[in-house]
Amino acid sequence: MGKRRKPKLAVWKFASCDGCQLSLLNCVDELPALAERVEIAHFLEASSAVMKGPYDLSLVEGSITTPRDLERILQVRRVSKFLVTIGACATAGGIQALRNFKDVKEFVSIVYARPDYIETLETSTPIADHVPVDFELHGCPIDKRQLLEVIGAFLIGRRPNVPSHSVCIECKLKGTVCVMVAHGTPCLGPVTHAGCGAICPSYHRGCYGCFGPKETPNTASLSREWSRLGASEQEILNVFRGVNANAEAFRKESDLHARRND
Amino acid sequence: MEVFSNRIEESPAGGPGFFNPWIPHTAEVIGKRREALGVHTLRLRLRDEGVRRSYRFRSGQFNMLYVFGVGEVPISIVSDPDESGVLDHTIRIVGKVSAALVSLKKGDTVGLRGPYGSSWPLEEAVGKDVLIVTGGLGCAPVISVINYVANRRDRYGNLKIFHGVKTPKDLLYRARFHAWQKHPDTEVYLTVDHPDLEWKYNVGVVTNLFREVRIYAQRSVVMMCGPEIMMHHAVRDLLAQGLAEDRIYLSLERNMKCAVGFCGHCQFGPAFICKDGPVLRYDRIKEWFGTSEI
Amino acid sequence: MHDGTIKVKGLARVEGEGGLYLKIKGGTVVDLRLEIFEPPRFFEALLRGRSFSEAPDITARICGICPVAYQMSAVHAMEDAFGIEVDGPLRALRRLIYCGEWIASHSLHVVMLHAPDFLGYPDGFKMAKDHPGIVERGWQLKEAGNEIIALLGGRAIHPINVRVGGFYKVPTKRELAPLVERLKWAREAALELVRWTAALPYPEFEQDYEFVSLRHPFEYPFNEGRLVSNRGLTISVRDYENQFVEEQVPHSHAMHSRLIGRGAYLVGPMARYSLNFDRLSPLAQDAARTAGLSPVCRNPFRSIVVRSVEILHACDEALRIIADYEMPEQPAVPVRPRAGMGQGCTEAPRGMLYHRYRLDDEGLIREAKIVPPTSQNQTMIEDDLRRFVQANIGLPKDELGLRCEQTIRNYDPCISCATHFLRLHYDRE
Amino acid sequence: MKILDRNSVDLFFDALKRQGFALVGPTIPDSAIVYDEIGSSADLPVGWTDEQDGGTYRLKKRDDEALFGYVVGPQSWKKFLHPPSLRLWTAHREGKGFKIIPEQDDPPKLAYIGVRSCELHAIAIQDKVFIGGPFLDSSYGLRRENVFIVAVNCGQAGGTCFCVSMKTGPKATAGFDLALTEIIEPGRHYFTVETGTGRGEEVLRDLPYTEATEADPATVERIVEKTVSQMGRTLDTTDIKNLLYQNLEHPRWDQVATRCLSCANCTMVCPTCFCSTVEDVTDLSGEHAERWRKWDSCFTSDFSFVHGGTVRPSVKSRYRQWMTHKLATWIDQFGTSGCVGCGRCITWCPVAIDITEEVRAIRETKK
Ligand SMILES: Cc1cc2nc3c(=O)[nH]c(=O)nc-3n(C[C@H](O)[C@H](O)[C@H](O)COP(=O)(O)OP(=O)(O)OC[C@H]3O[C@@H](n4cnc5c(N)ncnc54)[C@H](O)[C@@H]3O)c2cc1C
Ligand code: SF4
Ligand code: SF4
Ligand code: SF4
């Protein structure tokens, strides 16, 4: 084993908050073992040392929001053998994709006194809209155990155990009492991708969808239930327009409510 | 459940060292042969002598093969049940576990649990014509039965093998088909949907062949394996030719995690493919077989 | 270096994507820019039309390194608007989660990002080969901080449990208990860290800053206090925008935050420390003195020691909060939204973080303004760089480039946070 | 039949502990009654009850101090017998090969306090799955062997209960060591105790019980009758297997699919659902591997994944799998229904889909 060339790991950042990269640095107990197994070849947040590509495993954080990044992601893809996108920004466009529903020029002028200096795209889009992606890890932020799982699976060549079912299953595996049924608190868990470990319900709040849509999400049915529990159209619109606003299932559902709100 | 009486009741319940059915044994890769692009046969030998000696299987059954750290998948046993001590598995690379299995080398170790499931009706078929219908990218479960019958030509009637694929390059075991063709009283019919210039056999779906070839419905047993839609058409056409529903056997595939009826994944209506199947008699599943997304 | 340009394409070991452009002609600095590639994300714009209750979750996403700070400033601003007072154990729990963030954020910076500069390593991983104990201790300290955030907030990054009025769920005394042992260890480790950082080699580089931070009547500031400076400023947070402006300056395209009529100022650990030394826990004060750090620190390179002192203080404070904790009846005080304006300013690890919201009577946000610490320090970083380069102009180019990077890292700049202020100029060659 | 006073309940619990059993039973850590470790009768939901309907569950105070004055909560005993996640084995590399080390499984001896009749049936059903066939699931078997069951006859029915329809309750008839009926009369709070096994009788031996009077069995019957009359739901099981077999393409499946979230809550709370998946995990060094078993559900797309896609992509087919399995194919597979009428799937469905209602709809418009 020892003689084998260590795979090179690279971490890339696009428009994001750095939280997903930080998840890697939060793997305190596992980092020594990881540094044994891989060459941390490009990870600007943590190291000034940069090794040349190609990289065996690239972790890409952030969404595409500028013309410069449009070019940079192509370059990253070219030097990456296996490319994993991490986090809601990279997999769905992130919270900054809320601009996709508005006129971006207006956004710029709200924030910046000299809008003409700002070079930005009309939209914030996920990496997979621009280059082929080998695996997507969801979450805002990603869960560090899942990140380790993906890296571990990559190293040995297996499928990562990252199920795409609902958060509800995680609630039940943990023994958390359903907040929707037992408190009447609206919860996005039934349409949200598992992975966080059902954190919000165990803190007595409804899930707000930070892991994005699960497979086959029935957002329409859940919206109906939310209104039955007293949520306003505005609240329903807003919850689908969160950190995964641009994920297809959430976007479609929110568009419906936006139209109803008008 | 008497509906599925061809399941093997004497299969290794508390059998030889299989007390906890979740625990694999280890087996050594003792040989490896390339069959076609992305298809290889691994020859395995159980490492523990006691287990090896008591291990018995029937044609049509499968093992769960485990690659260290990568995962475990169901794979049919294609070697001859009477050849003692070795187990052949023909594996097509479709994903991570199958790829990892195929990447193993001689001397490597796999985890092995089995044998599981029902088998082909080879006793019932003695003295009868055997019709093999198979399609798609080479279906391992029928290889075992063809081998079995081909090696015992005197016990069975005429052997007809119908094999259909999309294009000539999907025809994986060309050499094997040629070899079988040379066996006495054996006919091999190959067909493709989209021929190329060199293709010299039939063209069209496999079921077209039934009309051209003389089939003695009364004295035939059909064994079938392949994409469900292909089998669906084949069954319909064979019934039209007068074959009885209880003479048609299908081998089905479903997701499997345990292979012993605990995990629930392989349910097909009332049947568990892992213990009632994979080989099922058509009349017992016909309502389910016609329904989509079962 | 007499003539030439230095370009640092990707600034490493800072949070976010930035670069440095430096041009020297005839032995003087003619152009110096801290360039930010970090794309803008328009938080102030996208907050419009959202409910007050969503602000803590949304603004947390500005920065994965200091999400608690954003949540804290946001909830304080909202509570200011609604006239709500959060006190007693709920207030204590907020301070506790903030302790967690300071410990985690500072430990990461001190040990993994900043210390390698002093010892000549490209990163903490390489440093770990020669100083395994130091690096391991740093990791574990960071982890101790994360554990506090995760316990109170549900997870270490973008915690989910903070809400306007308090929390969704508060821990029992028993649930907090396991933190005690961990924090006792952390306090010892932080003490060691202060000693260790104090012994690092420092360049002579004393600067005359105007420090700005919160100051509280009896606490080292986290969530509350007046804004004060060492040059006589003392205002309530409500007056922030009367005293501070973002100005456009002719020589640069960048927006700079300035004190009206006075100019650039410094926020962050050094400012906080120098203005509030007397509010540090006795243990932290002692440790600073013993380590030879005077109650006012003007050498930005020594900010690494100041951060270590703050880690120590946060551990001490966290232990005190846990010891005094009684579980409140309700996890949050009732919140009734009303139209109006609310401001909040808290001390993020990197310095004061100001939020202002204008809300309608349903509690929907009509206008939002967020001023993060890194953008407030922007001018200072460039000033420091200019002075530093001028003073060290004789150094070879490579060395000078490295020293510039180190100077930037003194500030632990968080570029993800800062983007809202910074010019986006892409130097495409 | 014997009589045990309310004040002797803790003596009873202590007797169980002396026999080496740890107690698990209903308790309220949060906003619902769940099964967890209990030390004494004070840990039970004393004076609490629950109100249940499709998609809602609320705890309410009772006006008495009943120990068992509620029905079933979101969890069932399967969480102990068939744990939500369980390591099956570990393996490590050894030379060119590897070695598999079976999990050392040493489950504690548990006394289940307050098992309802529907739950006794559910346990019997899972027994058939895990230890009734040609293969034995040793983890289940070991846990099962170690259980002492204290049943409780239901003194009231929940809004989603339909055990009468499924012939599984409300009175415990078999499968327990001891069965209690709680009786609260003005000035008197006591339990009748029936013994189901010699083990049960032995535990009773040293307790200050009295013999039941002639009136007591009648009182029990009356309580049970009252419960029967309160059943929140009914399900007509007449020829249900064929009803569903013949209506696999009924339009109702499409209809329910517009509401169903495929969130899997129903299967998770179901006391008979036994499905699991396995996860192979490795550490970063690649030298160690483990296999874990976790609860799974036929409502997920991975459940039916075969190379090339999932067999049941539509929510319609997943709901159909769940309901036909519970009520029909189960009969072919194990000789009984897979449904015990506990009503959990109705209560804990976030959008209140009701299995009894779905059966009714199909029955009314059957082919
Ligand atoms: C009874 C039976 C006999 C089989 N015999 C053979 C054989 O002889 N040769 C052969 O090449 N293949 C055979 N298969 C199919 C083989 O099991 C799958 O190709 C294999 O599981 C794919 O795993 P993977 O990880 O490589 O692929 P992926 O596509 O990555 O699959 C991921 C996982 O899904 C599950 N899965 C995917 N496809 C199937 C499938 N078809 N059946 C069951 N589970 C699946 C497995 O758990 C697998 O690990 C058989 C399947 C069954 C049910
Ligand atoms: S709390 Fe939310 S995620 Fe959990 S089971 Fe209920 S609906 Fe599903
Ligand atoms: S419960 Fe939902 S919102 Fe909360 S952390 Fe999990 S995925 Fe995110
Ligand atoms: S209903 Fe679904 S989850 Fe439950 S036992 Fe049947 S197949 Fe398994």
Side-chain angles (χ1 to χ4, degrees):
Chain A
M1 291 235 31
K3 273 177 259 109
R4 236 193 293 155
R5 182 183 72 84
K6 280 192 195 178
K8 285 187 190 165
L9 171 75
V11 182
W12 308 94
K13 178 186 154 69
F14 293 83
S16 69
C17 77
D18 287 54
C20 290
Q21 303 186 54
L22 185 64
S23 301
L24 185 56
L25 291 178
N26 277 353
C27 300
V28 166
D29 296 330
E30 297 80 5
L31 270 170
L34 183 65
E36 278 294 304
R37 276 290 275 134
V38 304
E39 203 66 70
I40 299 178
H42 185 281
F43 188 5
L44 280 184
E45 186 172 303
S47 172
S48 318
V50 171
M51 294 169 73
K52 273 221 168 63
Y55 307 96
D56 298 276
L57 173 62
S58 274
L59 304 175
V60 179
E61 174 191 270
S63 66
I64 303 298
T65 58
T66 65
R68 173 179 177 267
D69 282 352
L70 265 178
E71 289 165 27
R72 200 158 59 94
I73 188 59
L74 299 180
Q75 175 58 22
V76 168
R77 177 69 264 193
R78 269 196 294 277
V79 297
S80 308
K81 292 188 190 157
F82 195 83
L83 189 155
V84 176
T85 50
I86 55 171
C89 299
T91 58
I95 187 83
Q96 57 272 21
L98 286 177
R99 79 179 64 172
N100 302 9
F101 303 87
K102 295 270 163 56
D103 178 6
V104 76
K105 288 200 204 75
E106 188 194 316
F107 263 42
V108 174
S109 62
I110 290 174
V111 179
Y112 295 93
R114 290 292 306 268
D116 43 319
Y117 298 142
I118 306 300
E119 209 171 341
T120 184
L121 298 171
E122 298 277 307
T123 53
S124 167
T125 41
I127 302 303
D129 281 8
H130 306 281
V131 294
V133 167
D134 298 300
F135 189 80
E136 296 197 314
L137 187 61
H138 297 270
C140 181
I142 53 168
D143 178 87
K144 70 174 189 182
R145 288 156 308 167
Q146 285 204 323
L147 178 62
L148 289 168
E149 169 61 16
V150 170
I151 296 173
F154 167 80
L155 289 174
I156 203 153
R158 69 178 156 82
R159 240 160 67 125
N161 297 302
V162 177
S164 54
H165 56 58
S166 66
V167 176
C168 299
I169 292 185
E170 297 195 294
C171 269
K172 291 296 180 282
L173 289 178
K174 256 172 93 168
T176 302
V177 173
C178 177
V179 299
M180 190 111 143
V181 171
H183 311 223
T185 302
C187 178
L188 216 56
V191 297
T192 299
H193 196 293
C196 68
I199 300 171
C200 292
S202 64
Y203 280 76
H204 296 178
R205 81 177 277 194
C207 166
Y208 59 99
C210 74
F211 273 59
K214 78 185 252 293
E215 43 93 2
T216 54
N218 190 343
T219 51
S221 174
L222 189 64
S223 292
R224 283 195 297 274
E225 189 61 23
W226 272 52
S227 22
R228 211 181 60 87
L229 292 173
S232 67
E233 276 294 306
Q234 179 74 43
E235 282 169 297
I236 298 174
L237 169 68
N238 280 353
V239 77
F240 284 109
R241 288 212 178 146
V243 289
N244 285 288
N246 191 51
E248 194 189 355
F250 286 4
R251 190 184 61 229
K252 285 188 172 156
E253 186 64 23
S254 76
D255 283 345
L256 277 177
H257 295 278
R259 251 173 271 144
R260 257 180 250 168
N261 266 353
D262 287 341
Chain B
M1 182 182 32
E2 77 25 267
V3 201
F4 299 102
S5 52
N6 68 325
R7 84 202 234 189
I8 295 171
E9 286 300 351
E10 74 272 24
S11 67
F18 282 84
F19 168 64
N20 183 342
W22 289 101
I23 310 291
H25 290 278
T26 51
E28 185 185 345
V29 178
I30 55 169
K32 186 172 163 185
R33 187 175 67 219
R34 181 183 184 276
E35 305 286 353
L37 183 68
V39 183
H40 293 251
T41 297
L42 290 186
R43 172 156 291 198
L44 305 177
R45 213 171 63 135
L46 282 157
R47 285 200 192 268
D48 184 275
E49 207 191 306
V51 176
R52 188 162 70 232
R53 229 180 287 124
S54 55
Y55 186 100
R56 293 271 176 284
F57 74 95
R58 299 190 197 179
S59 184
Q61 290 191 286
F62 64 95
N63 282 320
M64 294 297 281
L65 299 186
Y66 168 74
V67 184
F68 181 82
V70 181
E72 189 187 51
V73 293
I75 302 288
S76 306
I77 312 163
V78 295
S79 43
D80 196 302
D82 290 343
E83 190 178 349
S84 69
V86 298
L87 297 164
D88 286 349
H89 296 83
T90 299
I91 301 154
R92 187 162 72 90
I93 300 179
V94 300
K96 297 282 189 199
V97 182
S98 48
L101 275 168
V102 164
S103 74
L104 294 175
K105 289 185 271 304
K106 242 167 118 161
D108 284 347
T109 301
V110 294
L112 186 152
R113 311 187 275 133
Y116 296 123
S118 61
S119 58
W120 295 111
L122 287 164
E123 287 311 308
E124 184 191 331
V126 169
K128 303 203 175 72
D129 285 0
V130 175
L131 256 64
I132 306 288
V133 183
T134 166
L137 289 167
C139 188
V142 293
I143 297 176
S144 65
V145 75
I146 298 173
N147 279 336
Y148 189 94
V149 175
N151 292 338
R152 296 163 181 79
R153 286 309 301 116
D154 50 328
R155 293 184 64 197
Y156 296 92
N158 170 274
L159 171 64
K160 290 190 179 61
I161 303 167
F162 299 94
H163 182 57
V165 286
K166 281 214 183 77
T167 67
K169 77 171 191 334
D170 299 326
L171 181 65
L172 297 183
Y173 314 101
R174 215 177 267 250
R176 284 216 195 171
F177 283 110
H178 282 298
W180 286 324
Q181 175 88 65
K182 297 200 182 84
H183 278 77
D185 201 13
T186 303
E187 300 155 31
V188 177
Y189 301 97
L190 301 176
T191 182
V192 294
D193 297 346
H194 310 289
D196 59 15
L197 290 173
E198 272 134 66
W199 185 253
K200 44 184 193 292
Y201 309 103
N202 305 286
V203 173
V205 292
V206 84
T207 51
N208 288 348
L209 297 172
F210 300 157
R211 264 166 262 144
E212 290 156 29
V213 177
R214 181 131 181 86
I215 292 171
Y216 299 93
Q218 300 311 313
R219 56 169 211 237
S220 296
V221 174
V222 181
M223 305 183 208
M224 210 182 270
C225 173
E228 282 178 30
I229 183 74
M230 180 282 283
M231 293 201 282
H232 193 70
H233 288 121
V235 168
R236 189 195 54 203
D237 292 2
L238 287 167
L239 292 175
Q241 300 251 337
L243 257 129
E245 287 182 346
D246 60 0
R247 287 286 185 79
I248 299 175
Y249 290 82
L250 320 169
S251 179
L252 295 182
E253 270 184 20
R254 280 297 180 271
N255 185 300
M256 255 172 222
K257 298 294 176 200
C258 73
V260 290
F262 299 156
C263 81
H265 283 245
C266 71
Q267 288 176 77
F268 175 80
F272 284 87
I273 297 297
C274 70
K275 48 182 197 183
D276 305 310
V279 178
L280 293 162
R281 207 172 77 188
Y282 176 69
D283 60 323
R284 291 171 173 152
I285 53 159
K286 61 182 180 185
E287 282 88 359
W288 304 93
F289 196 62
T291 310
S292 68
E293 297 191 33
I294 281 297
Chain C
M1 198 171 82
H2 192 69
D3 278 340
T5 41
I6 289 179
K7 283 187 193 133
V8 180
K9 266 196 150 175
L11 264 178
R13 284 180 284 137
V14 299
E15 289 86 9
E17 297 248 326
L20 173 69
Y21 179 85
L22 174 62
K23 194 164 183 181
I24 297 173
K25 220 177 192 160
T28 33
V29 180
V30 293
D31 198 0
L32 185 146
R33 305 188 300 244
L34 186 55
E35 295 194 326
I36 304 302
F37 316 135
E38 184 75 20
R41 292 189 296 144
F42 308 114
F43 274 89
E44 287 140 316
L46 58 84
L47 278 161
R48 292 190 174 189
R50 308 297 298 216
S51 164
F52 75 91
S53 61
E54 296 180 286
D57 294 328
I58 293 178
T59 58
R61 266 72 185 187
I62 293 175
C63 179
I65 320 293
C66 55
V68 170
Y70 282 89
Q71 298 191 323
M72 288 300 137
S73 287
V75 295
H76 279 285
M78 295 302 173
E79 287 156 9
D80 180 43
F82 302 154
I84 296 169
E85 206 42 72
V86 172
D87 220 334
L90 292 177
R91 177 172 185 276
L93 286 178
R94 284 185 172 171
R95 292 170 56 74
L96 182 58
I97 193 172
Y98 228 145
C99 288
E101 181 156 288
W102 280 23
I103 297 169
S105 173
H106 279 356
S107 306
L108 175 71
H109 187 258
V110 168
V111 180
M112 293 305 289
L113 310 182
H114 208 185
D117 276 340
F118 291 90
L119 301 173
Y121 297 97
D123 56 47
F125 304 116
K126 300 271 170 5
M127 190 174 120
K129 295 255 184 307
D130 302 333
H131 306 269
I134 304 293
V135 173
E136 174 60 19
R137 188 175 64 206
W139 282 127
Q140 291 304 332
L141 263 172
K142 172 177 153 54
E143 187 58 12
N146 280 343
E147 276 169 27
I148 300 180
I149 310 175
L151 194 137
L152 280 179
R155 62 181 168 201
I157 305 170
H158 302 334
I160 54 88
N161 192 23
V162 172
R163 72 193 290 185
V164 179
F167 295 86
Y168 289 91
K169 184 183 171 193
V170 286
T172 59
K173 261 179 100 77
R174 229 177 72 195
E175 283 166 334
L176 284 185
L179 289 178
V180 171
E181 278 312 298
R182 185 79 169 155
L183 281 167
K184 282 188 178 155
W185 171 88
R187 188 167 58 183
E188 286 307 305
L191 207 53
E192 290 294 318
L193 191 64
V194 174
R195 283 187 205 127
W196 183 78
T197 51
L200 293 169
Y202 295 100
E204 279 309 315
F205 191 69
E206 301 276 322
Q207 301 297 312
D208 190 17
Y209 300 107
E210 174 156 13
F211 297 125
V212 175
S213 86
L214 287 176
R215 183 160 168 87
H216 186 272
F218 27 84
E219 291 165 350
Y220 197 74
F222 277 111
N223 278 338
E224 282 156 288
R226 288 172 71 76
L227 279 168
V228 302
S229 89
N230 51 333
R231 298 200 186 137
L233 178 85
T234 162
I235 58 167
S236 113
V237 171
R238 291 239 168 94
D239 287 330
Y240 176 92
E241 284 172 76
N242 298 330
Q243 299 289 335
F244 293 82
V245 279
E246 307 149 40
E247 282 175 348
Q248 235 166 342
V249 283
H251 70 268
S252 160
H253 295 157
M255 297 283 283
H256 288 202
S257 197
R258 286 171 182 276
L259 263 165
I260 291 175
R262 322 240 280 247
Y265 59 98
L266 183 82
V267 302
M270 253 184 16
R272 216 155 39 212
Y273 170 88
S274 300
L275 293 168
N276 295 283
F277 183 82
D278 54 341
R279 302 280 188 268
L280 282 169
S281 75
L283 185 70
Q285 290 191 19
D286 274 0
R289 279 207 199 87
T290 318
L293 197 67
S294 52
V296 174
C297 173
R298 296 185 187 283
N299 181 344
F301 290 88
R302 285 192 196 274
S303 65
I304 190 171
V305 192
V306 174
R307 280 191 194 87
S308 305
V309 171
E310 285 200 335
I311 298 173
L312 175 59
H313 172 80
C315 293
D316 217 20
E317 181 68 9
L319 280 165
R320 197 190 56 72
I321 294 170
I322 295 171
D324 293 348
Y325 178 70
E326 287 300 333
M327 188 178 169
E329 292 267 300
Q330 293 299 326
V333 299
V335 175
R336 204 162 298 121
R338 66 181 190 206
M341 186 81 89
Q343 283 132 291
C345 187
T346 68
E347 286 287 343
R350 285 158 195 77
M352 63 138 158
L353 165 59
Y354 173 76
H355 284 215
R356 169 171 59 78
Y357 300 97
R358 193 161 58 76
L359 300 144
D360 68 13
D361 49 9
E362 285 171 65
L364 295 186
I365 298 166
R366 291 282 153 231
E367 196 188 316
K369 183 182 174 75
I370 295 171
V371 187
T374 296
S375 45
Q376 304 187 64
N377 279 345
Q378 181 61 23
T379 319
M380 270 305 169
I381 303 179
E382 287 186 4
D383 284 358
D384 266 12
L385 275 169
R386 205 170 288 113
R387 278 190 291 251
F388 185 84
V389 172
Q390 206 58 65
N392 295 277
I393 207 117
L395 288 174
K397 183 172 167 173
D398 283 356
E399 167 93 32
L400 191 58
L402 279 175
R403 291 310 214 141
C404 284
E405 279 196 65
Q406 186 182 0
T407 306
I408 295 169
R409 278 194 286 272
N410 284 337
Y411 287 86
D412 185 9
C414 183
I415 291 169
S416 307
C417 299
T419 57
H420 123 115
F421 268 94
L422 293 168
R423 160 183 61 107
L424 295 176
H425 166 82
Y426 302 131
D427 199 356
R428 286 202 219 111
E429 295 155 80
Chain D
M1 190 180 276
K2 312 221 180 330
I3 301 296
L4 208 55
D5 200 67
R6 158 69 180 90
N7 296 330
S8 307
V9 169
D10 283 307
L11 296 176
F12 168 43
F13 286 175
D14 290 341
L16 284 167
K17 288 182 201 160
R18 273 197 304 278
Q19 303 260 333
F21 292 102
L23 308 186
V24 287
T27 175
I28 308 186
D30 211 332
S31 41
I33 293 167
V34 301
Y35 298 144
D36 216 330
E37 258 174 66
I38 54 172
S40 70
S41 64
D43 295 333
L44 295 170
V46 181
W48 285 95
T49 190
D50 48 18
E51 279 179 6
Q52 303 193 29
D53 201 347
T56 78
Y57 177 100
R58 293 291 183 281
L59 288 175
K60 289 269 147 65
K61 267 287 186 201
R62 294 172 61 94
D63 46 21
D64 62 19
E65 296 292 293
L67 304 188
F68 297 100
Y70 39 83
V71 291
V72 294
Q75 303 178 343
S76 66
W77 305 98
K78 88 174 171 186
K79 88 173 205 189
F80 301 110
L81 287 169
H82 176 40
S85 92
L86 183 77
R87 185 164 57 199
L88 296 171
W89 45 258
T90 51
H92 54 252
R93 280 193 208 274
E94 226 179 53
K96 284 190 87 178
F98 57 87
K99 196 173 155 114
I100 291 181
I101 303 138
E103 193 63 7
Q104 283 304 323
D105 208 358
D106 193 12
K109 282 174 75 178
L110 295 180
Y112 295 176
I113 308 297
V115 181
R116 307 308 174 108
S117 178
C118 59
E119 302 186 305
L120 293 171
H121 282 85
I123 292 170
I125 287 172
Q126 287 213 329
D127 286 351
K128 288 201 178 183
V129 176
F130 290 119
I131 50 178
F135 298 98
L136 305 181
D137 184 88
S138 50
S139 75
Y140 184 93
L142 286 172
R143 283 168 176 72
R144 185 72 178 90
E145 263 172 19
N146 275 339
V147 173
F148 186 98
I149 293 184
V150 180
V152 167
N153 290 320
C154 290
Q156 68 186 64
T160 55
C161 291
F162 57 104
C163 62
V164 170
S165 304
M166 303 316 293
K167 304 189 177 59
T168 54
K171 189 171 189 310
T173 51
F176 53 81
D177 294 286
L178 293 170
L180 314 178
T181 308
E182 184 169 32
I183 301 173
I184 302 180
E185 289 165 351
R188 189 162 176 229
H189 185 176
Y190 66 103
F191 293 85
T192 65
V193 189
E194 279 171 80
T195 45
T197 59
R199 268 204 317 184
E201 209 160 325
E202 202 169 306
V203 170
L204 272 188
R205 193 167 301 148
D206 299 331
L207 295 178
Y209 63 81
T210 54
E211 289 301 330
T213 63
E214 253 169 55
D216 287 317
T219 312
V220 171
E221 279 319 305
R222 244 195 344 274
I223 287 172
V224 169
E225 276 313 308
K226 194 186 90 217
T227 305
V228 166
S229 71
Q230 291 174 342
M231 281 291 129
R233 299 282 201 277
T234 57
L235 189 153
D236 178 1
T237 58
T238 318
D239 198 24
I240 191 150
K241 190 178 107 179
N242 288 324
L243 175 73
L244 294 178
Y245 280 12
Q246 282 154 22
N247 286 281
L248 295 173
E249 304 284 14
H250 197 284
R252 183 72 188 187
W253 303 119
D254 291 304
Q255 238 174 22
V256 71
T258 64
R259 293 187 293 141
C260 174
L261 302 166
S262 64
C263 63
N265 274 313
C266 50
T267 52
M268 295 287 124
V269 296
C270 178
T272 69
C273 273
F274 55 83
C275 289
S276 60
T277 186
V278 294
E279 289 183 354
D280 287 292
V281 297
T282 41
D283 65 355
L284 287 169
S285 74
E287 297 297 301
H288 302 276
E290 296 184 350
R291 168 164 293 190
W292 285 76
R293 185 181 78 183
K294 289 191 168 160
W295 284 358
D296 201 1
S297 164
C298 55
F299 278 97
T300 73
S301 87
D302 273 351
F303 188 82
S304 62
F305 179 82
V306 290
H307 175 70
T310 177
V311 172
R312 299 188 199 102
S314 71
V315 174
K316 161 195 163 175
S317 65
R318 297 184 205 166
Y319 189 85
R320 182 180 63 189
Q321 165 63 24
W322 138 261
M323 201 169 99
T324 51
H325 189 212
K326 289 279 96 150
L327 297 172
T329 53
W330 208 294
I331 301 173
D332 271 338
Q333 292 169 350
F334 302 105
T336 67
S337 173
C339 174
V340 295
C342 69
R344 287 183 178 91
C345 58
I346 308 173
T347 299
W348 298 98
C349 172
V351 293
I353 293 173
D354 180 340
I355 192 170
T356 66
E357 184 55 38
E358 294 310 306
V359 170
R360 194 168 300 123
I362 289 182
R363 195 177 284 287
E364 279 164 7
T365 51
K366 67 182 173 208
K367 252 204 327 218

